[in-house]
């Protein structure tokens, strides 16, 4: 029988610990970690995410500022704001909410965030350092995924880990983290043939495709651990890449959607920002 | 029956083409691509490699300078020399021969080479950009490996590619390149269990472990393509990761050692340096 990995509970425990650590930083060093969030345009979902991040900063005792910018802002003006934040001593972490309007190049924006404040881990230097297995800011969702796997008590080393999806935000950095934990890692994607042949051998499967139903009961072996990073709107409810009810009886551990990876992502953002501040001590 | 992938011939053809391109660059833009090689200490093998690189520069009509530095040089002094090369207009590519003496940090050195002259592709920015599938300097051996696979006429997309070894110089960047070519990629290493189970499914295997005999006949399927990046001294001859004579009858294509990956590495260094110069036009 599967155990459900309770991402909500794990993230709350983590944030409790973080709150104490932040209080210590304030008491001992008079330093308050600060996060700047930049959002461009009016996408309601993006604004919801940003509001959640702001609220979470307050809860753990961090300083936050949100820059809500009009859809019409030029790339250059956005880069100027980022440059100011790079030099702002109150701000230890900078996050630009994605997606950005079409006239703004996402890569250019990420590249202009100081890699020392890049709490999203999207700067090429941080991506390179993660691959080199060196200290770096690790993207929040992959960092959360590894924590969820570790929470099961399983040893990652030597396991066959399969990552479905190769996005720069989730799939690829998750693959790198699993490799750094000494798993044998296979990266599958839309061009993969005979996916089932690969997933049937997996001890750990991370789904990050955004395609509901990409992994079904017949494609997994007994006792597999599944972490589902998909968030797909199906009618009026949110579902993941896998059909939870169908597969769970064959898994040893599985994350629900919602309440699995999602809450961990925001907790890891808080953690990354705290760690960015810690470097200023 | 296996075809042998003739890396020597392929690299020579490439270098012939490059020689013409360099001549054009000289004629049309009065620009001569230049490579600076830095070598520290007295390791005879390293000096042999550096001499080969210098000779190859001459052959294709590139400018080269070699900085032969004593083992005793401090890290700071080495970094100063690199900084001068970063600003030297005659130099478009900088290569620091590895390994370095223990008192010098390899990462620090790589990080100080301007990423725009980093023809070895070891700077974190170039590693990050490769993972992002963006323009970057690609490490020479992996770049050569992909050319060798393509020379067989096989389509990489959708194939099961297995990389043995996860070094920053060969294994990992090769995995990234195969992924960018839309292969399904599995990265195996010393902690991998049941290696045979994985290699038996592979359409393409790249060996980069430096362990002779890591892959044997019983571990591969009929028709596999094997690229062997191992260079191991066995008695008085050089061998690769695989025992060529044992496995070749089951492969469709295989690289020999020597004469496979080796000659491609130096050809790709020339190509990267040419491309670095091209950006100055």
């Amino acid at each position: 029988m599967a155990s459900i990995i309770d991402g909500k509970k794990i993230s709350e425990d983590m944030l409790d610990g973080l709150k104490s650590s932040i209080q210590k930083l304030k008491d001992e060093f008079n330093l308050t970690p600060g996060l700047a969030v930049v959002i461009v345009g009016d996408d309601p979902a993006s604004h919801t995410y940003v509001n959640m991040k702001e609220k979470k900063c307050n809860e753990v005792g961090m300083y936050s500022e949100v820059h809500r910018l009009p859809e019409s802002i030029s790339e250059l003006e956005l880069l100027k704001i980022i440059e100011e934040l790079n030099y702002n001593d109150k701000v230890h972490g900078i996050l630009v909410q994605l997606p950005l309007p079409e006239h703004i190049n996402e890569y250019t924006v990420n590249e202009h965030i100081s890699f020392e404040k890049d709490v999203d881990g999207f700067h090429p230097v941080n991506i390179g350092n993660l691959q080199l297995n060196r200290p770096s800011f690790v993207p929040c969702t992959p960092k959360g995924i590894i924590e969820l796997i570790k929470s099961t008590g399983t040893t990652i080393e030597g396991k066959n880990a399969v990552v479905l999806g190769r996005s720069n935000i989730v799939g690829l950095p998750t693959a790198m983290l699993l490799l750094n934990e000494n798993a044998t890692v296979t990266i599958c994607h839309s061009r993969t043939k005979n996916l089932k042949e690969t997933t049937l051998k997996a001890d750990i499967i991370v789904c990050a495709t955004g395609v509901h139903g990409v992994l079904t009961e017949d494609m997994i072996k007994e006792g597999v651990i599944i972490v589902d990073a998909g968030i797909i709107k199906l009618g009026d409810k949110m579902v993941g890449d896998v059909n939870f009810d169908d597969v769970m009886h064959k898994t040893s551990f599985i994350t629900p959607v919602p309440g699995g990876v999602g809450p961990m992502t925001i907790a890891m953002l808080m953690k990354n920002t705290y760690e960015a501040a810690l470097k200023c001590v």
Side-chain angles (χ1 to χ4, degrees), chain A:
Chain A
M1 188 59 193
S3 293
I4 294 172
I5 306 174
D6 188 347
K8 195 158 180 290
K9 172 79 171 61
I10 295 166
S11 68
E12 279 166 4
D13 290 349
M14 250 205 51
L15 288 168
D16 278 347
L18 197 59
K19 196 174 173 177
S20 310
S21 303
I22 289 170
Q23 191 56 52
K24 262 193 202 159
L25 209 56
K26 289 180 181 176
D27 294 344
E28 289 180 28
F29 299 98
N30 196 25
L31 180 67
T32 304
L35 176 68
V37 179
V38 178
I39 177 166
V40 180
D42 301 318
D43 179 56
S46 292
H47 277 273
T48 305
Y49 287 134
V50 167
N51 292 343
M52 276 167 59
K53 288 164 187 173
E54 198 178 13
K55 193 172 153 232
K56 203 58 79 180
C57 283
N58 285 334
E59 281 174 24
V60 295
M62 291 206 309
Y63 165 74
S64 70
E65 54 183 64
V66 179
H67 299 256
R68 294 179 177 85
L69 306 172
E71 179 93 14
S72 59
I73 193 169
S74 71
E75 185 176 286
L76 185 61
E77 285 195 277
L78 176 59
L79 295 181
K80 277 184 192 163
I81 290 167
I82 289 170
E83 195 61 9
E84 280 168 24
L85 294 172
N86 283 341
Y87 285 98
N88 182 337
D89 285 346
K90 285 165 77 180
V91 169
H92 304 98
I94 302 170
L95 177 152
V96 177
Q97 184 69 36
L98 301 178
L100 288 166
E102 277 197 7
H103 66 279
I104 298 176
N105 185 307
E106 202 176 283
Y107 177 81
T108 307
V109 169
N110 286 334
E111 199 188 28
H112 276 79
I113 297 172
S114 160
F115 73 91
E116 291 170 313
K117 295 190 175 188
D118 169 40
V119 285
D120 251 346
F122 296 160
H123 191 288
V125 163
N126 282 315
I127 296 170
N129 281 332
L130 174 57
Q131 189 175 314
L132 290 166
N133 202 4
R134 290 186 58 87
S136 65
F137 283 113
V138 175
C140 303
T141 301
K143 191 169 176 169
I145 288 170
I146 297 296
E147 289 298 321
L148 291 175
I149 297 170
K150 287 186 173 171
S151 78
T152 67
T154 198
T155 308
I156 299 176
E157 177 163 327
K159 291 290 193 308
N160 283 334
V162 174
V163 179
L164 308 189
R166 53 172 163 172
S167 71
N168 297 318
I169 295 175
V170 187
L172 277 182
T174 301
M176 288 303 129
L177 287 170
L178 287 164
L179 200 58
N180 292 345
E181 296 285 341
N182 294 323
T184 300
V185 178
T186 303
I187 305 161
C188 297
H189 44 78
S190 56
R191 315 294 175 89
T192 292
K193 291 172 184 166
N194 306 320
L195 179 60
K196 182 176 169 176
E197 209 170 75
T198 302
T199 54
L200 272 173
K201 303 277 181 201
D203 305 305
I204 299 167
I205 301 178
V206 177
C207 299
T209 67
V211 179
H212 183 61
V214 71
L215 189 75
T216 47
E217 190 203 352
D218 58 310
M219 296 168 72
I220 57 173
K221 72 174 181 189
E222 285 287 341
V224 66
I225 297 176
I226 294 181
V227 177
D228 191 345
I231 321 173
I232 304 135
K233 205 169 175 182
L234 197 73
D236 58 354
K237 66 174 191 168
M238 301 307 281
V239 296
D241 283 1
V242 301
N243 196 330
F244 186 85
D245 294 331
D246 287 352
V247 302
M248 77 165 291
H249 72 100
K250 278 182 92 175
T251 65
S252 58
F253 293 92
I254 183 167
T255 59
V257 177
V261 172
M264 290 303 283
T265 297
I266 197 160
M268 290 303 160
L269 174 64
M270 299 299 120
K271 198 171 179 198
N272 276 351
T273 306
Y274 167 73
E275 284 169 4
L278 211 56
K279 285 183 192 148
C280 301
V281 167

